[in-house]
Amino acid sequence: MIPYADPSWYQSYHSPYFNLTHAALRAEVREWVESEIEPNVTEWDEAKKVPDTIYKQMGERGYLAGLMGLHQYPTHLTNQRVRSVGPEQWDLFHEMVITDEISRAGSGGLVWNLIGGFGIGCPPLVKFGKKSVVERILPEILNGNKRICLAITEPDAGSDVANLTCEAKLTEDGKHYIVNGEKKWITNGVWCDYFTTAVRTGGPGMNGVSALLIERDNGGVSTRKMDCQGVWASGTTYVTFEDVKVPVENLLSKENQGFKVIMTNFNHERIGIIIQCIRFSRVCYEESIKYAHKRKTFGKKLIDHPVIRLKLAHMARQIEASYNWMENLVYQCQVMNETEAMLKLGGAIAGLKAQATTTFEFCAREASQIFGGLSYSRGGQGAKVERLYRDVRAYAIPGGSEEIMLDLSIRQALRVHKALGMKL
């Protein structure tokens, strides 16, 4: 039981947020990760692919259905169940536990492979899709047989979502959209059957954007795997849509109201990034603590050098501060309705996203300094640290860059508090 290597409620501290069901789920997921996943992560990372059987297990274990940011477990959408938690007991902290425990394997590529595309591509379908489409498509997704991703980013439109150019034109008979355009850096895209896609159906700006579910079987969809600095097993993809014929029934929400769909989805996406970053920071810290108790320099263990303890202390204080802020925001998400959460929490979540990614970057660097040359070579004792160091930028940029997140956090906070009566 290494101090700060796990959340305090794992280590005999009291918490108002967690109960025995969360502890049972944590034990269940940890046992699965330690036996089925962690021994193979380095091999899968080098192969840039996680076996499909592992993703299938995510569905069979009921984890996929619990990772959509829903306040209740969606028993009406799937027959799969989580073994250690009854559906009636499910809350957002259970979702947090699943993501946290999978992240403990120390690989962004693994986490993105298993929940990256799904976690951001499926919620808009569930919340805004037509009932007939949801009922036709979702069961196969939730049992792990089919895959879905989110396709928003384009070669020339990243954080500036309102200026995307991928176009969807309505046919003369009004029954289909014809989609043409390109998407870039799409997580899991190369393996996906469905693409929750931001398209332009109207004029310029946010009021001309719609959300459309594109099926690979519609034809005209081509995908090319991209080579990236980190998250190697994520299946990051360049997607091209050429005259893709999409039924109007696949429209999510209403035409030209897709920007709301996208913005509503960002809170859940960023919370997922935050959970992963804080656990990756813990992994860097935990690996450093273990190594510092083994490695000797100048006649004594690293842990006996004050400069090393200082590094570890700075890592721990940032991890704990970030984690406690995260617990509070997850609780707010749990007790607020979706509209209130979207209005009030967007800025705070954006601020924490920046806090979590800078904490991750700090911890990865300090861990690398502690490990020295071992963190510069792939594999061996420093494998997790080397791999996570490569993954840092994949968290600092996607989901909103740190600069944009920090600016958004203040702008949103001022707007919310002005509405609450602030006078300056």
Side-chain angles (χ1 to χ4, degrees), residues 71 92 127-128 260 263-264 267-268 328-349 412-413 415-417 419-420:
H71 287 70
L92 294 181
K127 294 174 183 177
F128 298 99
K260 178 184 176 183
M263 291 300 106
T264 303
N267 278 357
H268 182 247
N328 177 266
L329 289 182
V330 171
Y331 177 72
Q332 302 308 319
C333 290
Q334 179 67 39
V335 297
M336 290 182 185
N337 63 48
E338 192 146 304
T339 301
E340 184 183 10
M342 187 173 70
L343 292 174
K344 287 185 177 179
L345 300 182
I349 290 171
Q412 185 83 349
R415 188 181 299 122
V416 169
H417 283 262
L420 293 174

Side-chain angles (χ1 to χ4, degrees), residues 227-282:
D227 288 323
C228 299
Q229 181 184 54
V231 292
W232 286 357
S234 66
T236 302
T237 305
Y238 196 104
V239 184
T240 303
F241 300 118
E242 296 181 280
D243 294 328
V244 184
K245 194 174 182 180
V246 183
V248 293
E249 290 78 18
N250 285 27
L251 184 69
L252 305 179
S253 188
K254 297 178 181 179
E255 186 171 280
N256 297 327
Q257 293 187 17
F259 199 77
K260 178 184 176 183
V261 175
I262 295 166
M263 291 300 106
T264 303
N265 202 44
F266 268 137
N267 278 357
H268 182 247
E269 175 180 1
R270 288 168 184 158
I271 286 285
I273 290 171
I274 290 162
I275 298 167
Q276 293 166 48
C277 281
I278 295 173
R279 173 53 79 172
F280 290 154
S281 301
R282 287 194 195 276

Side-chain angles (χ1 to χ4, degrees), residues 50 55 65 82 112 121 131-132 175 245 295 317 333 335 413 416:
V50 177
Y55 186 79
V82 176
W112 285 22
K131 185 179 179 182
S132 60
K175 293 182 178 180
K245 194 174 182 180
R295 169 74 166 150
R317 70 172 177 80
C333 290
V335 297
V416 169

Side-chain angles (χ1 to χ4, degrees), residues 12 14 33 52-53 139 151 196 208 225 229 236 286 324 369 401:
S12 79
H14 301 286
V33 170
D52 293 336
T53 53
T196 300
K225 196 172 184 179
Q229 181 184 54
T236 302
E286 181 178 5
N324 280 276
Q369 290 299 106
S401 67

Side-chain angles (χ1 to χ4, degrees), residues 280-291:
F280 290 154
S281 301
R282 287 194 195 276
V283 171
C284 291
Y285 165 85
E286 181 178 5
E287 292 296 300
S288 298
I289 280 275
K290 291 175 180 176
Y291 183 67

Side-chain angles (χ1 to χ4, degrees), residues 1-13 15 18 26 30 96-97 100-101 104 278-279 282 319-320 323-324 326-327:
M1 189 183 289
I2 297 171
Y4 309 117
D6 271 318
S8 60
W9 68 275
Y10 285 30
Q11 300 187 337
S12 79
Y13 282 64
S15 169
F18 300 97
R26 187 211 76 179
R30 182 166 291 197
M96 177 178 149
V97 166
D100 184 54
E101 284 298 320
R104 193 167 168 269
I278 295 173
R279 173 53 79 172
R282 287 194 195 276
I319 290 166
E320 289 302 308
Y323 183 84
N324 280 276
M326 177 178 71
E327 280 189 339

Side-chain angles (χ1 to χ4, degrees), residues 27-81:
E28 176 191 329
V29 181
R30 182 166 291 197
E31 179 186 18
W32 179 57
V33 170
E34 288 183 344
S35 62
E36 299 286 329
I37 293 176
E38 201 164 351
N40 304 302
V41 164
T42 298
E43 178 186 341
W44 295 343
D45 197 64
E46 293 290 334
K48 300 183 179 180
K49 181 74 167 69
V50 177
D52 293 336
T53 53
I54 300 297
Y55 186 79
K56 175 68 174 172
Q57 287 183 54
M58 288 285 294
E60 292 170 344
R61 287 173 163 267
Y63 298 162
L64 291 178
L67 289 168
M68 296 189 290
L70 302 177
H71 287 70
Q72 296 178 326
Y73 195 85
T75 55
H76 62 296
L77 298 174
T78 178
N79 293 322
Q80 308 294 348
R81 297 290 183 270

